Amino acid sequence: MTESATVTGSVTVRVPAKVNVQLAVGAARPDGFHDLANVFLAVGLYDEVTAVPADELTITCSGPDAAQVPLDRSNLAARAALALAERYGIEPAVHLHIAKDIPVAGGMAGGSADGAAALLACDALWSTGASREELLEICAELGSDVPFSLIGGAALGTGRGELLTPVETGGTFHWVFAVADGGLSTPVVFGEFDRLTAGTDVPEPAAAPALLDALASGDPVALAKTLSNDLQAAALSLRPSLAATLAAGTDAGALAALVSGSGPTTAFLVPDPETAHRVAAALTASGTCRTARVAVSPAPGATVV
Ligand code: ATP
């Protein structure tokens, strides 16, 4: 248990958003899931989850997108607390407050981030003694993106995306994220991918060696040439207006633009902080997005603060 937990009886965990620098999607499996080769990069936009002892499990949420966040047991933070409590035979008597800064339903794994953060916060509050491996196992049960939110940094996810291998990064990468109005449902985007690829030969997903080399070198120009997202066509098909956002960012000087995960957030890789601020201002002025956020990567995973 941390010092702050002992003094105040509460634990706060900070957790980053993610961008997929590569998202390779295989054909739908018989169970409906898709095999993925998913290169995750944690980016410095953060939610904070605070766990406080309470009579029963309750959730509150603050932040600009708070109204879109469910406050019942479907919230991934609640599910994480329940999963941990059940495994260790603990009463899930905890209040979770989510200070939300990660765009909701934006393809940046905000819900997954809150799941990982709540798990770590409750683990510290209840002193379960769970190993890192046990926590990662619970994360994988909660969702494909949750284990990465716990570890952060950069990693290759295979299987449904939940089997993680850390990936080397040789420097700081600068990003701008254009947040769209309204979300896109991840299952609906995968459904559109299935529709668009029906009858075609979908290759086995594999990480691109050139992309891994670019991450290791820390060279944004090399990384820009290798970014890819197999869900981009599906996201654009469902939300054609994203094409104008992508164009506005590249016109303003981004090295590369892509849909973040299942969208509708779009991600722009830029060479330096000055360009990041110029691209963010141009995106905001273009009227093609709700807001633009500047962030750096890689960022650390879920951390008790
Ligand atoms: P991913 O990138 O992992 O596909 P996402 O970033 O597109 O996810 P989320 O912000 O995780 O999307 O939210 C998707 C949906 O999950 C929301 O519309 C909401 O109904 C539900 N949800 C459950 N728990 C949370 C949470 N803690 N924060 C936000 N949304 C949550």
Side-chain angles (χ1 to χ4, degrees), residues 194-224:
D194 292 340
R195 196 183 69 78
L196 293 175
T197 56
T200 68
D201 209 7
V202 179
E204 284 293 310
L211 177 112
L212 299 178
D213 288 349
L215 283 173
S217 74
D219 176 1
V221 176
L223 183 62

PDB file of all heavy atoms in Angstrom, residues 194-224:
ATOM      1  N   ASP A 194     -15.615  -6.493 -41.669  1.00  0.00           N
ATOM      2  CA  ASP A 194     -16.030  -7.799 -42.200  1.00  0.00           C
ATOM      3  C   ASP A 194     -16.814  -7.622 -43.499  1.00  0.00           C
ATOM      4  O   ASP A 194     -16.618  -8.367 -44.459  1.00  0.00           O
ATOM      5  CB  ASP A 194     -16.896  -8.558 -41.180  1.00  0.00           C
ATOM      6  CG  ASP A 194     -16.091  -8.988 -39.966  1.00  0.00           C
ATOM      7  OD1 ASP A 194     -14.855  -9.052 -40.057  1.00  0.00           O
ATOM      8  OD2 ASP A 194     -16.719  -9.252 -38.909  1.00  0.00           O
ATOM      9  N   ARG A 195     -17.692  -6.620 -43.516  1.00  0.00           N
ATOM     10  CA  ARG A 195     -18.510  -6.382 -44.710  1.00  0.00           C
ATOM     11  C   ARG A 195     -17.615  -5.977 -45.891  1.00  0.00           C
ATOM     12  O   ARG A 195     -17.756  -6.495 -46.990  1.00  0.00           O
ATOM     13  CB  ARG A 195     -19.543  -5.276 -44.415  1.00  0.00           C
ATOM     14  CG  ARG A 195     -20.678  -5.193 -45.424  1.00  0.00           C
ATOM     15  CD  ARG A 195     -21.612  -4.036 -45.116  1.00  0.00           C
ATOM     16  NE  ARG A 195     -21.011  -2.731 -45.333  1.00  0.00           N
ATOM     17  CZ  ARG A 195     -20.852  -2.143 -46.521  1.00  0.00           C
ATOM     18  NH1 ARG A 195     -21.263  -2.754 -47.611  1.00  0.00           N
ATOM     19  NH2 ARG A 195     -20.283  -0.955 -46.613  1.00  0.00           N
ATOM     20  N   LEU A 196     -16.675  -5.064 -45.627  1.00  0.00           N
ATOM     21  CA  LEU A 196     -15.824  -4.553 -46.718  1.00  0.00           C
ATOM     22  C   LEU A 196     -14.858  -5.616 -47.240  1.00  0.00           C
ATOM     23  O   LEU A 196     -14.446  -5.556 -48.398  1.00  0.00           O
ATOM     24  CB  LEU A 196     -15.022  -3.329 -46.246  1.00  0.00           C
ATOM     25  CG  LEU A 196     -15.816  -2.061 -45.931  1.00  0.00           C
ATOM     26  CD1 LEU A 196     -14.904  -0.980 -45.355  1.00  0.00           C
ATOM     27  CD2 LEU A 196     -16.513  -1.535 -47.181  1.00  0.00           C
ATOM     28  N   THR A 197     -14.466  -6.567 -46.366  1.00  0.00           N
ATOM     29  CA  THR A 197     -13.465  -7.560 -46.789  1.00  0.00           C
ATOM     30  C   THR A 197     -14.107  -8.893 -47.176  1.00  0.00           C
ATOM     31  O   THR A 197     -13.387  -9.831 -47.537  1.00  0.00           O
ATOM     32  CB  THR A 197     -12.422  -7.810 -45.673  1.00  0.00           C
ATOM     33  OG1 THR A 197     -13.118  -8.203 -44.482  1.00  0.00           O
ATOM     34  CG2 THR A 197     -11.575  -6.577 -45.398  1.00  0.00           C
ATOM     35  N   ALA A 198     -15.450  -8.985 -47.103  1.00  0.00           N
ATOM     36  CA  ALA A 198     -16.128 -10.258 -47.428  1.00  0.00           C
ATOM     37  C   ALA A 198     -15.732 -10.704 -48.836  1.00  0.00           C
ATOM     38  O   ALA A 198     -15.719  -9.895 -49.767  1.00  0.00           O
ATOM     39  CB  ALA A 198     -17.640 -10.081 -47.327  1.00  0.00           C
ATOM     40  N   GLY A 199     -15.390 -11.988 -48.965  1.00  0.00           N
ATOM     41  CA  GLY A 199     -15.053 -12.535 -50.282  1.00  0.00           C
ATOM     42  C   GLY A 199     -13.627 -12.235 -50.715  1.00  0.00           C
ATOM     43  O   GLY A 199     -13.205 -12.687 -51.782  1.00  0.00           O
ATOM     44  N   THR A 200     -12.875 -11.481 -49.907  1.00  0.00           N
ATOM     45  CA  THR A 200     -11.475 -11.207 -50.268  1.00  0.00           C
ATOM     46  C   THR A 200     -10.567 -12.084 -49.404  1.00  0.00           C
ATOM     47  O   THR A 200     -11.011 -12.631 -48.386  1.00  0.00           O
ATOM     48  CB  THR A 200     -11.092  -9.730 -50.040  1.00  0.00           C
ATOM     49  OG1 THR A 200     -11.102  -9.479 -48.631  1.00  0.00           O
ATOM     50  CG2 THR A 200     -12.050  -8.779 -50.739  1.00  0.00           C
ATOM     51  N   ASP A 201      -9.326 -12.180 -49.809  1.00  0.00           N
ATOM     52  CA  ASP A 201      -8.357 -12.973 -49.068  1.00  0.00           C
ATOM     53  C   ASP A 201      -7.683 -12.068 -48.043  1.00  0.00           C
ATOM     54  O   ASP A 201      -6.821 -11.276 -48.398  1.00  0.00           O
ATOM     55  CB  ASP A 201      -7.322 -13.515 -50.082  1.00  0.00           C
ATOM     56  CG  ASP A 201      -6.748 -14.827 -49.614  1.00  0.00           C
ATOM     57  OD1 ASP A 201      -7.249 -15.357 -48.603  1.00  0.00           O
ATOM     58  OD2 ASP A 201      -5.791 -15.304 -50.259  1.00  0.00           O
ATOM     59  N   VAL A 202      -8.111 -12.157 -46.771  1.00  0.00           N
ATOM     60  CA  VAL A 202      -7.528 -11.277 -45.747  1.00  0.00           C
ATOM     61  C   VAL A 202      -6.230 -11.909 -45.240  1.00  0.00           C
ATOM     62  O   VAL A 202      -6.251 -13.037 -44.735  1.00  0.00           O
ATOM     63  CB  VAL A 202      -8.513 -11.071 -44.574  1.00  0.00           C
ATOM     64  CG1 VAL A 202      -7.905 -10.178 -43.502  1.00  0.00           C
ATOM     65  CG2 VAL A 202      -9.822 -10.475 -45.076  1.00  0.00           C
ATOM     66  N   PRO A 203      -5.081 -11.240 -45.389  1.00  0.00           N
ATOM     67  CA  PRO A 203      -3.818 -11.867 -44.971  1.00  0.00           C
ATOM     68  C   PRO A 203      -3.721 -12.038 -43.456  1.00  0.00           C
ATOM     69  O   PRO A 203      -4.400 -11.332 -42.698  1.00  0.00           O
ATOM     70  CB  PRO A 203      -2.742 -10.891 -45.470  1.00  0.00           C
ATOM     71  CG  PRO A 203      -3.440  -9.642 -45.860  1.00  0.00           C
ATOM     72  CD  PRO A 203      -4.919  -9.898 -45.939  1.00  0.00           C
ATOM     73  N   GLU A 204      -2.897 -12.992 -43.021  1.00  0.00           N
ATOM     74  CA  GLU A 204      -2.611 -13.171 -41.594  1.00  0.00           C
ATOM     75  C   GLU A 204      -1.976 -11.885 -41.066  1.00  0.00           C
ATOM     76  O   GLU A 204      -1.029 -11.378 -41.678  1.00  0.00           O
ATOM     77  CB  GLU A 204      -1.600 -14.307 -41.400  1.00  0.00           C
ATOM     78  CG  GLU A 204      -2.173 -15.704 -41.549  1.00  0.00           C
ATOM     79  CD  GLU A 204      -3.160 -16.018 -40.437  1.00  0.00           C
ATOM     80  OE1 GLU A 204      -2.817 -15.820 -39.258  1.00  0.00           O
ATOM     81  OE2 GLU A 204      -4.293 -16.425 -40.768  1.00  0.00           O
ATOM     82  N   PRO A 205      -2.458 -11.347 -39.952  1.00  0.00           N
ATOM     83  CA  PRO A 205      -1.858 -10.103 -39.454  1.00  0.00           C
ATOM     84  C   PRO A 205      -0.456 -10.330 -38.881  1.00  0.00           C
ATOM     85  O   PRO A 205      -0.221 -11.329 -38.208  1.00  0.00           O
ATOM     86  CB  PRO A 205      -2.824  -9.669 -38.350  1.00  0.00           C
ATOM     87  CG  PRO A 205      -3.519 -10.908 -37.927  1.00  0.00           C
ATOM     88  CD  PRO A 205      -3.561 -11.828 -39.110  1.00  0.00           C
ATOM     89  N   ALA A 206       0.449  -9.426 -39.196  1.00  0.00           N
ATOM     90  CA  ALA A 206       1.827  -9.532 -38.677  1.00  0.00           C
ATOM     91  C   ALA A 206       2.389  -8.132 -38.503  1.00  0.00           C
ATOM     92  O   ALA A 206       2.063  -7.220 -39.282  1.00  0.00           O
ATOM     93  CB  ALA A 206       2.697 -10.316 -39.654  1.00  0.00           C
ATOM     94  N   ALA A 207       3.218  -7.955 -37.459  1.00  0.00           N
ATOM     95  CA  ALA A 207       3.854  -6.651 -37.238  1.00  0.00           C
ATOM     96  C   ALA A 207       4.838  -6.376 -38.377  1.00  0.00           C
ATOM     97  O   ALA A 207       5.542  -7.282 -38.817  1.00  0.00           O
ATOM     98  CB  ALA A 207       4.583  -6.652 -35.906  1.00  0.00           C
ATOM     99  N   ALA A 208       4.879  -5.130 -38.844  1.00  0.00           N
ATOM    100  CA  ALA A 208       5.780  -4.762 -39.942  1.00  0.00           C
ATOM    101  C   ALA A 208       7.172  -4.496 -39.381  1.00  0.00           C
ATOM    102  O   ALA A 208       7.331  -3.621 -38.522  1.00  0.00           O
ATOM    103  CB  ALA A 208       5.256  -3.519 -40.643  1.00  0.00           C
ATOM    104  N   PRO A 209       8.207  -5.239 -39.850  1.00  0.00           N
ATOM    105  CA  PRO A 209       9.564  -5.019 -39.334  1.00  0.00           C
ATOM    106  C   PRO A 209      10.011  -3.557 -39.483  1.00  0.00           C
ATOM    107  O   PRO A 209      10.660  -3.015 -38.585  1.00  0.00           O
ATOM    108  CB  PRO A 209      10.426  -5.958 -40.193  1.00  0.00           C
ATOM    109  CG  PRO A 209       9.477  -7.029 -40.645  1.00  0.00           C
ATOM    110  CD  PRO A 209       8.153  -6.363 -40.811  1.00  0.00           C
ATOM    111  N   ALA A 210       9.654  -2.904 -40.590  1.00  0.00           N
ATOM    112  CA  ALA A 210      10.080  -1.501 -40.805  1.00  0.00           C
ATOM    113  C   ALA A 210       9.488  -0.588 -39.738  1.00  0.00           C
ATOM    114  O   ALA A 210      10.122   0.391 -39.307  1.00  0.00           O
ATOM    115  CB  ALA A 210       9.667  -1.038 -42.193  1.00  0.00           C
ATOM    116  N   LEU A 211       8.278  -0.901 -39.300  1.00  0.00           N
ATOM    117  CA  LEU A 211       7.631  -0.092 -38.260  1.00  0.00           C
ATOM    118  C   LEU A 211       8.341  -0.272 -36.916  1.00  0.00           C
ATOM    119  O   LEU A 211       8.613   0.700 -36.194  1.00  0.00           O
ATOM    120  CB  LEU A 211       6.163  -0.489 -38.143  1.00  0.00           C
ATOM    121  CG  LEU A 211       5.403   0.228 -37.040  1.00  0.00           C
ATOM    122  CD1 LEU A 211       4.370   1.170 -37.619  1.00  0.00           C
ATOM    123  CD2 LEU A 211       4.736  -0.740 -36.099  1.00  0.00           C
ATOM    124  N   LEU A 212       8.682  -1.520 -36.594  1.00  0.00           N
ATOM    125  CA  LEU A 212       9.384  -1.780 -35.327  1.00  0.00           C
ATOM    126  C   LEU A 212      10.755  -1.104 -35.344  1.00  0.00           C
ATOM    127  O   LEU A 212      11.198  -0.533 -34.337  1.00  0.00           O
ATOM    128  CB  LEU A 212       9.494  -3.289 -35.077  1.00  0.00           C
ATOM    129  CG  LEU A 212       8.140  -4.018 -34.961  1.00  0.00           C
ATOM    130  CD1 LEU A 212       8.359  -5.515 -34.766  1.00  0.00           C
ATOM    131  CD2 LEU A 212       7.300  -3.463 -33.807  1.00  0.00           C
ATOM    132  N   ASP A 213      11.426  -1.144 -36.513  1.00  0.00           N
ATOM    133  CA  ASP A 213      12.725  -0.464 -36.644  1.00  0.00           C
ATOM    134  C   ASP A 213      12.566   1.041 -36.440  1.00  0.00           C
ATOM    135  O   ASP A 213      13.391   1.688 -35.788  1.00  0.00           O
ATOM    136  CB  ASP A 213      13.331  -0.708 -38.042  1.00  0.00           C
ATOM    137  CG  ASP A 213      13.836  -2.136 -38.200  1.00  0.00           C
ATOM    138  OD1 ASP A 213      13.913  -2.845 -37.172  1.00  0.00           O
ATOM    139  OD2 ASP A 213      14.124  -2.537 -39.342  1.00  0.00           O
ATOM    140  N   ALA A 214      11.511   1.609 -37.026  1.00  0.00           N
ATOM    141  CA  ALA A 214      11.287   3.055 -36.918  1.00  0.00           C
ATOM    142  C   ALA A 214      11.038   3.455 -35.461  1.00  0.00           C
ATOM    143  O   ALA A 214      11.556   4.471 -34.977  1.00  0.00           O
ATOM    144  CB  ALA A 214      10.103   3.470 -37.793  1.00  0.00           C
ATOM    145  N   LEU A 215      10.264   2.645 -34.733  1.00  0.00           N
ATOM    146  CA  LEU A 215      10.020   2.929 -33.307  1.00  0.00           C
ATOM    147  C   LEU A 215      11.341   2.880 -32.536  1.00  0.00           C
ATOM    148  O   LEU A 215      11.628   3.751 -31.715  1.00  0.00           O
ATOM    149  CB  LEU A 215       9.044   1.912 -32.716  1.00  0.00           C
ATOM    150  CG  LEU A 215       7.570   2.099 -33.063  1.00  0.00           C
ATOM    151  CD1 LEU A 215       6.761   0.912 -32.552  1.00  0.00           C
ATOM    152  CD2 LEU A 215       7.018   3.397 -32.465  1.00  0.00           C
ATOM    153  N   ALA A 216      12.140   1.855 -32.829  1.00  0.00           N
ATOM    154  CA  ALA A 216      13.412   1.680 -32.111  1.00  0.00           C
ATOM    155  C   ALA A 216      14.369   2.834 -32.410  1.00  0.00           C
ATOM    156  O   ALA A 216      15.147   3.248 -31.543  1.00  0.00           O
ATOM    157  CB  ALA A 216      14.051   0.348 -32.476  1.00  0.00           C
ATOM    158  N   SER A 217      14.310   3.374 -33.624  1.00  0.00           N
ATOM    159  CA  SER A 217      15.237   4.452 -34.002  1.00  0.00           C
ATOM    160  C   SER A 217      14.801   5.793 -33.428  1.00  0.00           C
ATOM    161  O   SER A 217      15.608   6.714 -33.332  1.00  0.00           O
ATOM    162  CB  SER A 217      15.325   4.556 -35.529  1.00  0.00           C
ATOM    163  OG  SER A 217      14.130   5.157 -36.025  1.00  0.00           O
ATOM    164  N   GLY A 218      13.519   5.914 -33.073  1.00  0.00           N
ATOM    165  CA  GLY A 218      13.019   7.196 -32.559  1.00  0.00           C
ATOM    166  C   GLY A 218      12.842   8.232 -33.653  1.00  0.00           C
ATOM    167  O   GLY A 218      12.626   9.414 -33.363  1.00  0.00           O
ATOM    168  N   ASP A 219      12.889   7.805 -34.929  1.00  0.00           N
ATOM    169  CA  ASP A 219      12.838   8.735 -36.057  1.00  0.00           C
ATOM    170  C   ASP A 219      11.387   8.906 -36.538  1.00  0.00           C
ATOM    171  O   ASP A 219      10.810   7.985 -37.117  1.00  0.00           O
ATOM    172  CB  ASP A 219      13.719   8.177 -37.184  1.00  0.00           C
ATOM    173  CG  ASP A 219      13.661   9.032 -38.435  1.00  0.00           C
ATOM    174  OD1 ASP A 219      12.957  10.068 -38.438  1.00  0.00           O
ATOM    175  OD2 ASP A 219      14.308   8.650 -39.430  1.00  0.00           O
ATOM    176  N   PRO A 220      10.804  10.098 -36.326  1.00  0.00           N
ATOM    177  CA  PRO A 220       9.389  10.262 -36.690  1.00  0.00           C
ATOM    178  C   PRO A 220       9.144  10.182 -38.197  1.00  0.00           C
ATOM    179  O   PRO A 220       8.072   9.759 -38.622  1.00  0.00           O
ATOM    180  CB  PRO A 220       9.030  11.657 -36.150  1.00  0.00           C
ATOM    181  CG  PRO A 220      10.318  12.359 -35.942  1.00  0.00           C
ATOM    182  CD  PRO A 220      11.353  11.309 -35.694  1.00  0.00           C
ATOM    183  N   VAL A 221      10.144  10.576 -39.008  1.00  0.00           N
ATOM    184  CA  VAL A 221       9.953  10.524 -40.466  1.00  0.00           C
ATOM    185  C   VAL A 221       9.840   9.056 -40.907  1.00  0.00           C
ATOM    186  O   VAL A 221       8.971   8.686 -41.702  1.00  0.00           O
ATOM    187  CB  VAL A 221      11.107  11.253 -41.200  1.00  0.00           C
ATOM    188  CG1 VAL A 221      10.966  11.102 -42.709  1.00  0.00           C
ATOM    189  CG2 VAL A 221      11.119  12.727 -40.804  1.00  0.00           C
ATOM    190  N   ALA A 222      10.704   8.204 -40.328  1.00  0.00           N
ATOM    191  CA  ALA A 222      10.636   6.768 -40.647  1.00  0.00           C
ATOM    192  C   ALA A 222       9.324   6.174 -40.143  1.00  0.00           C
ATOM    193  O   ALA A 222       8.678   5.377 -40.835  1.00  0.00           O
ATOM    194  CB  ALA A 222      11.835   6.040 -40.027  1.00  0.00           C
ATOM    195  N   LEU A 223       8.911   6.575 -38.939  1.00  0.00           N
ATOM    196  CA  LEU A 223       7.657   6.036 -38.390  1.00  0.00           C
ATOM    197  C   LEU A 223       6.473   6.457 -39.252  1.00  0.00           C
ATOM    198  O   LEU A 223       5.564   5.659 -39.510  1.00  0.00           O
ATOM    199  CB  LEU A 223       7.473   6.493 -36.933  1.00  0.00           C
ATOM    200  CG  LEU A 223       6.233   5.931 -36.236  1.00  0.00           C
ATOM    201  CD1 LEU A 223       6.287   4.400 -36.154  1.00  0.00           C
ATOM    202  CD2 LEU A 223       6.070   6.518 -34.830  1.00  0.00           C
ATOM    203  N   ALA A 224       6.500   7.722 -39.714  1.00  0.00           N
ATOM    204  CA  ALA A 224       5.392   8.242 -40.527  1.00  0.00           C
ATOM    205  C   ALA A 224       5.156   7.377 -41.767  1.00  0.00           C
ATOM    206  O   ALA A 224       4.018   7.164 -42.178  1.00  0.00           O
ATOM    207  CB  ALA A 224       5.676   9.689 -40.934  1.00  0.00           C
TER     208      ALA A 224
END
